[in-house]
């Protein structure tokens, strides 16, 4: 029943062979994928899930063009994570967005043969034409357990090619072998007798019922579950196993509780569900657990194959309770020696601290000048472009809306690129797993995972790279919990606000007191994160404490090309996917502070007031600088006067705009926290980025361009009085606002990235509501208590 | 040996000395084994899906397991199994019943 590819109904395949690379995590699958496809890759996402979809093209020696899919790494076809689910669904042809593969290339780490063969044993049951790529044969040899491709081929009955992915050895042979791919003969698993009997009984039930024909079992990709049984693609394979085998496989999967989508239709067949339930009950009653029996049978077969595949007698036969095992002579590799230092109880922690410190320094300080340069560059470009336009709304849209919006997106690029550079090196080298191993105990206490550490640390620089870094966490609940608390880490954008408020209202505390205050704000964020992580894990993200089964792969030297590819792909994805939305929001926020314009009839009145204000500013300036007249003095006076005039009008315009009106309308709500409408406008504008609060304060206080160190802004804030003469800014107000900035979710870029990473608006909306709610309650408490105790 | 459920052993890091003392115990849970000691897998219990994954990772068929080290903070624990390394928390390791063997 070998089928003709050209006659395939799906036009997506365009008569082209689709080859899927499947393998365990750390088996070197991606290295082989890169070696096969070079730069002819496309990287996107599987619709509906945040799992990376990597496809590429490659030419076989016979001239055929094939599509290669690099599946997410998986330990088993009975999936536990979204990544594994996708790999399973593609392999079974259950995804409408991805064609079922014509050939499966099983990538096997030869230095970790047994566990890698477990997936192979499941891939054999899949019944698709297969090739095995025996990767890292060099490592296996160094470990004293060399593996022979030739003998493995004899045992498995499918082409086996020895490969050293990072040196591109065996890649040409692998391409040639793809044309020879064939369906593996079904092994005798040697299930316990009782179980084998039940499997046959269920298979008979499925067959006799109005079961869907084997070739239509699979949905999605157009090809059926069993349709791939075409034998070798180039020439008919002798001894293609009959369909009987496939019904047995289906029955076995039903019995062990495989919940893959293709089985749903089988379970709907009358009588099947009852037959499975009855069989399971009978087996359990007689002391046979189908799941355990199945896995043990697979591993017994693996022991056979592995023993046959090894070249030398480094393995010894041992009989234990009738079970033949393989025992490795404990060869101490350099990887083991590295580990005895890198995860040593003292040195390990010291080195870990050093690596994390350099990551933090890179994100915090190295990225800083790059970000400044990008912002300035884009602003300068905006000034040039808008300079060609006449003054008016279009001019302002281009310079303050569009170019500032582009800047708001591109400004994140240095941090994201640096983060993925670090992550790429750490992951490729194998250190990322060690970092999780070292930190797990610390984070487990609050229901997080060892792998949550790097995302949270990165979030101190910026939550956006931090949230993107949670991709390394496999478990969905661990990942969501980490995402949800990451924005509590005080990011670099909060720093200007902290400096402005602490420097202005806690000046009497001295340097040490101010530093302590700053530390306290960081601490508050950490405490809030720990508490909310606990709450999330006990409510929405509750679960049988997600298991921590972490492989510690052998150390490898990271490959420059692979790391740079990761950096490029992730940065590009951020710009395209999240960047466009962030840009739109920036333009909307700009428009809200720009429109409506002040009406004609009010401009004259404002102009009079502005002139009076400007004259006042000029007078005080002249009084202050009486002694330092020099050439160009009148130029300076002119500019002081003009700045004061323009900033007064800008403040009036902002007050008249939608943002200003919302700020005023918000006043009753934020009044209990001690804020007036100006701060309300500031909080709204901070949605573009938290540090914008400072420049907005500069506008509403008519001091023109201001940063957190501007003494003119600080004085204006301290001078500000309500109508009754009481000061607007008091210590409780400043404290309350600081607490607000630590806790509130007011960064639309973060929300957009959370939407992007979680796939729904549910999580960002929840984040906005609970963080801002928490900020409101705590800031309210701080202000009210502060006012009462003075 | 189906549906194995093991008692929730109290969280406690056992010193190698203590482990030495129970060397001849017939059965022990994996979290209690001292660093450097070995055992053979007898049974895996706990949450069904975690149990399945542990067996799929190779904790089955009397596989030989060695305790390589504990993390600096005492947990998780690193094991060597079927020629590779993996780490488990106490909470998972205590669901794996082993027979200690002399290394």
């Amino acid at each position: 029943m070998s089928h003709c590819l050209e006659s395939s109904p799906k036009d997506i395949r365009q008569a082209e062979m689709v080859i899927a690379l499947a393998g365990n995590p750390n088996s070197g699958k991606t290295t082989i994928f890169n070696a096969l496809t070079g730069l002819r890759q496309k990287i996107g996402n599987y619709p509906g899930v945040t799992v990376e979809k990597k496809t590429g093209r490659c030419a076989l020696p016979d001239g055929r063009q094939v599509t290669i899919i690099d599946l997410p790494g998986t330990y088993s076809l009975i999936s536990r994570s979204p990544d594994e689910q996708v790999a399973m669904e593609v392999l079974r042809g259950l995804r409408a967005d991805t064609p079922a593969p014509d050939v499966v290339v099983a990538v096997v780490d030869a230095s970790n043969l047994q566990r890698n063969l477990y997936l192979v044993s499941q891939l054999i049951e899949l019944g698709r034409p297969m090739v095995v790529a025996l990767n890292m044969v060099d490592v296996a040899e160094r470990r004293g357990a060399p593996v022979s491709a030739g003998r493995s081929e004899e045992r498995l009955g499918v082409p086996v090619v020895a490969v050293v992915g990072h040196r591109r050895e065996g890649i040409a042979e692998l391409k040639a072998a793809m044309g020879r791919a064939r369906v593996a003969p079904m092994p005798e698993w040697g299930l316990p007798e009782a179980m084998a009997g039940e499997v046959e009984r269920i298979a008979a039930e499925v067959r006799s019922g109005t079961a869907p024909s084997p070739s239509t079992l699979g949905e999605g990709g157009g090809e059926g579950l069993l349709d791939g049984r075409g034998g070798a693609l180039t020439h008919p394979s002798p001894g293609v196993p009959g369909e009987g085998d496939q019904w047995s496989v289906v029955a076995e999967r039903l019995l062990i509780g495989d919940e893959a989508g293709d089985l749903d239709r089988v379970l709907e067949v009358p009588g099947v569900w009852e037959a499975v339930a009855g069989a399971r009950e009978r087996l359990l009653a007689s002391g046979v657990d189908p799941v355990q029996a199945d896995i043990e049978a697979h591993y017994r077969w693996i022991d056979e194959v592995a023993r046959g595949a090894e070249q030398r007698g480094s393995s010894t036969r041992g009989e234990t309770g009738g079970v033949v095992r393989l025992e490795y002579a404990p060869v101490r590799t350099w990887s083991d020696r590295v580990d005895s230092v890198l995860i040593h109880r003292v040195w390990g922690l010291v080195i870990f601290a050093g690596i994390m410190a350099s990551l933090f320094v890179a994100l915090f300080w190295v990225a800083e000048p790059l970000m400044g340069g990008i912002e300035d560059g884009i602003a300068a470009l905006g000034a040039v472009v808008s300079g060609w336009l006449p003054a008016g709304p279009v001019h302002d849209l281009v310079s303050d809306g569009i170019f500032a919006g582009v800047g708001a997106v591109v400004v994140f690029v240095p941090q994201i690129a640096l983060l993925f550079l670090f992550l790429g090196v750490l992951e490729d080298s194998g250190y990322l797993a060690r970092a999780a191993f070292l930190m797990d105990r610390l984070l487990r206490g609050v229901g997080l995972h060892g792998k949550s550490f790097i995302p949270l640390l990165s979030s101190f620089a910026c939550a956006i790279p931090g949230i993107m870094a949670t991709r390394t966490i496999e478990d969905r609940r661990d990942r969501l919990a980490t995402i949800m608390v990451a924005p509590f880490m005080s990011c670099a954008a909060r720093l200007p606000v902290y400096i402005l408020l602490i420097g202005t209202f806690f000046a009497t505390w001295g340097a040490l007191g101010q530093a302590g205050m700053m530390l306290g704000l960081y601490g508050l964020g950490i405490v809030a994160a720990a508490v909310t992580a606990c709450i999330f894990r006990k409510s929405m993200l509750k679960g049988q404490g997600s298991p921590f089964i972490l492989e510690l792969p052998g150390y490898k030297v990271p490959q420059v090309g692979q790391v740079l590819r990761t950096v490029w792909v992730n940065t590009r994805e951020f710009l395209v996917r999240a960047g466009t939305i962030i840009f739109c929001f920036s333009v909307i926020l700009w428009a809200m502070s720009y429109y409506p314009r002040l009406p004609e009839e009010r401009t004259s009145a404002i102009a009079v007031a502005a002139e009076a204000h400007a004259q006042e500013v000029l007078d005080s300036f002249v009084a202050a600088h009486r002694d330092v007249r020099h050439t160009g003095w009148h130029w300076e006076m002119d500019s002081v006067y003009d700045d004061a005039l323009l900033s007064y009008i800008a403040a009036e315009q902002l007050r008249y705009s939608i943002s200003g009106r919302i700020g005023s309308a918000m006043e009753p709500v934020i009044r209990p926290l001690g804020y007036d409408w100006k701060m309300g406008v500031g909080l709204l504008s901070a949605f573009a980025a938290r540090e914008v609060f400072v420049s907005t304060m500069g506008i509403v206080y008519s001091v023109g361009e201001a940063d957190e160190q501007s003494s003119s802004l600080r004085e204006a804030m301290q001078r500000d009085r309500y109508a009754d003469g009481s000061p607007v800014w008091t210590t409780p107000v400043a404290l309350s606002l600081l607490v607000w900035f630590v806790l509130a979710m007011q960064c639309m870029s973060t929300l957009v990235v959370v939407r992007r990473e979680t796939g729904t608006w549910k999580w960002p909306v929840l984040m906005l509501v609970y963080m801002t709610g928490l900020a409101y309650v705590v800031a309210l408490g701080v202000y009210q208590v502060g006012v009462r105790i003075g | 040996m189906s549906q194995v459920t093991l008692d929730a052993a109290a969280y406690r890091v056992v010193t190698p000395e203590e482990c030495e003392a129970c060397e001849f115990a017939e059965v022990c849970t994996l979290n209690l084994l001292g660093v450097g000691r070995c055992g053979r897998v007898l049974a895996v219990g706990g949450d069904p899906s975690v149990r399945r994954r542990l067996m799929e990772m190779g904790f089955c068929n009397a596989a030989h397991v060695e305790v390589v080290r504990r993390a600096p903070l005492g947990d998780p624990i690193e094991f060597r199994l079927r020629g590779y390394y993996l780490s488990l928390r106490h909470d998972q390791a205590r669901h794996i019943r082993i027979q200690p063997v002399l290394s």
Side-chain angles (χ1 to χ4, degrees):
Chain A
M1 52 170 287
S2 71
H3 67 280
C4 187
L5 286 168
E6 280 70 26
S7 69
S8 172
K10 280 282 176 186
D11 30 316
I12 186 170
R13 341 185 44 151
Q14 287 158 348
E16 209 173 71
M17 205 153 90
V18 176
I19 293 174
L21 294 184
N24 283 182
N26 307 308
S27 60
K29 213 163 34 61
T30 301
T31 312
I32 291 183
F33 175 70
N34 289 341
L36 284 171
T37 59
L39 288 168
R40 303 166 69 194
Q41 298 185 359
K42 226 178 83 192
I43 292 161
N45 255 275
Y46 288 94
V49 280
T50 42
V51 176
E52 200 171 68
K53 178 177 185 174
K54 293 200 236 174
T55 53
R57 318 239 303 137
C58 138
L60 296 191
D62 58 13
R64 269 187 298 178
Q65 288 289 324
V66 295
T67 299
I68 299 195
I69 307 175
D70 184 18
L71 295 174
T74 179
Y75 290 113
S76 163
L77 289 186
I78 298 184
S79 41
R80 282 192 49 86
S81 69
D83 282 45
E84 293 191 336
Q85 175 95 9
V86 165
M88 179 277 284
E89 287 176 350
V90 172
L91 286 167
R92 293 203 186 283
L94 299 173
R95 285 197 76 88
D97 51 63
T98 311
D102 300 297
V103 170
V104 176
V105 174
V107 179
V108 167
D109 173 2
S111 66
N112 181 358
L113 198 56
Q114 297 186 42
R115 203 207 55 218
N116 275 260
L117 281 176
Y118 182 76
L119 181 67
V120 173
S121 74
Q122 291 181 322
L123 292 174
I124 288 174
E125 288 185 327
L126 195 64
R128 290 191 190 281
M130 188 161 83
V131 174
V132 172
L134 204 53
N135 198 15
M136 305 192 223
V137 280
D138 54 333
V139 181
E141 193 146 352
R142 276 205 302 275
R143 290 232 182 129
V147 181
S148 148
R151 281 200 234 167
S152 308
E153 185 157 341
E154 276 168 38
R155 301 266 162 173
L156 294 171
V158 297
V160 179
V161 184
V163 180
V164 180
H166 64 274
R167 290 208 300 262
R168 302 181 61 91
E169 285 174 25
I171 296 298
E173 290 84 345
L174 180 61
K175 284 183 188 172
M178 287 174 187
R180 294 187 285 122
R182 57 172 60 240
V183 176
M186 192 69 69
E188 266 310 319
W189 297 120
L191 290 171
E193 217 167 292
M195 185 162 162
E198 295 291 357
V199 166
E200 280 320 303
R201 211 165 303 161
I202 296 170
E205 188 68 44
V206 175
R207 214 177 358 230
S208 71
T210 48
S213 103
S215 52
T216 58
L217 255 183
E219 301 139 45
E223 203 173 352
L225 165 74
L226 314 169
D227 205 359
R229 309 190 59 77
L233 282 162
T234 43
H235 48 86
S237 146
V240 172
E243 280 187 2
D245 272 356
Q246 280 303 312
W247 287 127
S248 300
V249 169
V250 169
E252 195 183 318
R253 288 175 56 206
L254 287 169
L255 198 53
I256 63 171
D258 185 344
E259 285 167 354
D262 56 336
L263 293 179
D264 289 351
R265 294 178 54 191
V266 181
L267 279 170
E268 281 166 18
V269 175
V272 169
W273 193 88
E274 290 78 6
V276 173
R280 219 177 273 165
E281 219 160 87
R282 279 192 296 279
L283 284 173
L284 287 174
S286 66
V288 178
D289 171 18
V291 174
Q292 186 177 350
D294 181 68
I295 296 170
E296 286 182 348
H298 278 239
Y299 263 101
R300 271 196 298 275
W301 172 82
I302 288 167
D303 285 349
E304 291 281 324
V305 174
R307 201 171 37 245
E310 303 219 348
Q311 281 173 326
R312 280 203 301 268
S314 63
S315 59
T316 54
R317 290 182 86 144
E319 294 281 332
T320 318
V323 179
V324 184
R325 294 183 319 94
L326 277 173
E327 235 167 73
Y328 282 90
V331 179
R332 229 173 114 79
T333 61
W334 71 274
S335 187
D336 298 341
R337 280 190 283 273
V338 170
D339 253 351
S340 59
V341 178
L342 283 192
I343 42 183
H344 184 268
R345 87 189 23 246
V346 179
W347 300 122
L349 289 179
V350 171
I351 294 167
F352 175 79
I355 293 175
M356 291 303 125
S358 54
L359 167 68
F360 191 67
V361 166
L363 290 186
F364 213 92
W365 280 288
V366 178
E368 185 87 6
L370 295 172
M371 292 164 75
I374 286 175
E375 274 186 320
D376 294 348
I378 288 179
L381 198 66
V384 170
V385 172
S386 59
W388 302 330
L389 298 164
V394 178
H395 171 280
D396 295 347
L397 171 68
V398 170
S399 75
D400 301 335
I402 292 175
F403 273 90
V406 170
V409 174
V410 180
V411 75
F412 291 114
V413 166
Q415 282 184 336
I416 290 174
L418 278 168
L419 173 82
F420 279 100
L421 184 68
F422 263 84
L423 276 186
V425 170
L426 294 181
E427 185 148 35
D428 264 23
S429 64
Y431 188 77
L432 203 60
R434 271 76 181 181
F437 178 71
L438 290 172
M439 283 298 110
D440 185 64
R441 182 68 190 82
L442 203 66
L443 291 153
R444 195 195 63 202
V446 294
L448 296 175
H449 188 278
K451 286 191 176 171
S452 307
F453 188 84
I454 289 178
L456 293 180
L457 181 77
S458 309
S459 296
F460 280 110
C462 176
I464 290 170
I467 287 165
M468 290 172 82
T470 62
R471 288 178 195 170
T472 55
I473 305 172
E474 292 89 7
D475 184 87
R476 188 185 139 271
R477 284 185 305 245
D478 283 335
R479 180 161 182 235
L480 279 173
T482 311
I483 288 177
M484 294 308 273
V485 303
F488 279 123
M489 304 295 140
S490 282
C491 61
R494 284 160 164 120
L495 214 47
V497 180
Y498 293 173
I499 292 171
L500 172 70
L501 294 178
I502 292 178
T504 310
F505 299 103
F506 299 92
T508 53
W509 285 33
L512 214 61
Q514 291 187 1
M517 177 97 197
M518 190 74 96
L519 221 59
L521 295 176
Y522 278 83
L524 175 66
I526 295 172
V527 170
V531 172
T532 41
C534 273
I535 294 173
F536 268 111
R537 288 317 296 257
K538 293 206 168 95
S539 56
M540 292 187 70
L541 299 171
K542 188 155 67 181
Q544 246 268 330
S546 67
F548 180 88
I549 304 174
L550 180 74
E551 186 185 355
L552 298 170
Y555 286 102
K556 284 194 285 279
V557 179
Q559 292 165 260
V560 179
Q562 200 150 310
V563 170
L564 292 182
R565 197 186 298 251
T566 314
V567 171
W568 162 240
V569 165
N570 285 294
T571 309
R572 186 186 59 184
E573 201 207 84
F574 166 80
L575 285 176
V576 174
R577 310 262 174 185
T580 42
I581 306 177
I582 294 174
F583 169 77
C584 293
F585 276 115
S586 304
V587 174
I588 292 171
L589 278 173
W590 166 80
M592 280 172 60
S593 64
Y594 189 82
Y595 288 105
R597 306 300 294 162
L598 283 166
E600 287 290 329
E601 61 269 25
R602 288 191 50 187
T603 41
S604 53
I606 288 166
V608 173
E611 276 165 16
H613 167 78
Q615 191 58 50
E616 208 174 290
V617 171
L618 183 64
D619 289 347
S620 67
F621 177 81
V622 171
H625 296 79
R626 205 180 290 280
D627 310 328
V628 286
R629 296 193 179 192
H630 52 83
T631 44
W633 170 238
H634 59 279
W635 286 104
E636 215 166 304
M637 292 202 328
D638 278 356
S639 89
V640 166
Y641 184 84
D642 287 349
D643 284 350
L645 194 69
L646 288 175
S647 55
Y648 186 86
I649 295 171
E652 284 300 317
Q653 173 58 50
L654 180 59
R655 187 171 192 168
Y656 193 75
S657 72
I658 299 175
S659 293
R661 293 172 194 205
I662 296 177
S664 306
M666 264 172 29
E667 214 178 33
V669 182
I670 55 178
R671 195 56 256 169
L673 310 186
Y675 312 157
D676 72 342
W677 73 272
K678 296 192 230 42
M679 295 175 220
V681 176
L683 295 184
L684 267 187
S685 68
F687 257 94
R690 287 185 177 90
E691 74 269 20
V692 173
F693 179 82
V694 175
S695 55
T696 306
M697 287 293 109
I699 297 175
V700 296
Y701 281 107
S702 306
V703 295
E705 299 262 318
D707 65 24
E708 65 273 18
Q709 307 283 6
S710 305
S711 54
S712 54
L713 176 57
R714 292 182 171 194
E715 284 162 17
M717 286 162 70
Q718 281 166 325
R719 273 204 314 269
D720 196 16
R721 291 286 182 276
Y722 284 113
D724 64 3
S726 61
V728 171
W729 292 87
T730 58
T731 308
V733 171
L735 263 182
S736 155
L737 201 56
L738 282 170
V739 166
W740 174 276
F741 266 90
V742 172
L743 300 174
M745 175 24 63
Q746 44 176 3
C747 173
M748 52 105 185
S749 307
T750 302
L751 293 173
V752 169
V753 169
V754 172
R755 156 74 183 80
R756 179 82 209 113
E757 296 296 316
T758 59
T760 86
W761 278 107
K762 173 185 153 192
W763 294 103
V765 167
L766 178 69
M767 179 182 268
L768 177 66
V769 170
Y770 88 79
M771 284 185 70
T772 309
L774 180 68
Y776 190 89
V777 172
V778 179
L780 179 72
V782 166
Y783 178 70
Q784 295 299 339
V785 171
V787 167
R788 275 166 188 70
I789 62 175
Chain B
M1 204 157 301
S2 63
Q3 298 295 299
V4 187
T5 42
L6 299 174
D7 297 333
Y11 270 56
R12 197 164 68 89
V13 177
V14 177
T15 64
E17 292 74 41
E18 279 179 286
C19 198
E20 205 76 47
C22 75
E23 185 178 300
F24 300 105
E26 289 288 305
V27 178
C28 168
T29 54
L30 192 51
N31 60 320
L32 298 177
L33 210 57
V35 171
R37 305 205 62 86
C38 305
R40 289 189 190 289
V41 176
L42 292 178
V44 184
D47 169 71
S49 80
V50 180
R51 170 173 180 262
R52 183 200 300 260
R53 179 48 55 93
L54 286 172
M55 290 193 291
E56 287 179 327
M57 298 294 277
F59 285 102
C60 64
N61 289 359
H64 189 263
V65 191
E66 181 193 336
V67 183
V68 179
R69 61 169 65 81
R70 287 171 193 276
L73 301 169
D75 193 20
I77 315 167
E78 181 182 348
F79 301 103
R80 183 184 165 99
L81 167 79
R82 294 181 186 266
Y84 78 99
Y85 297 88
L86 92 167
S87 70
L88 302 176
R89 288 181 187 158
H90 272 262
D91 213 16
Q92 273 91 52
R94 73 188 170 86
H95 290 297
I96 300 173
R97 200 145 51 149
I98 47 128
Q99 177 186 30
V101 293
L102 293 170
S103 15

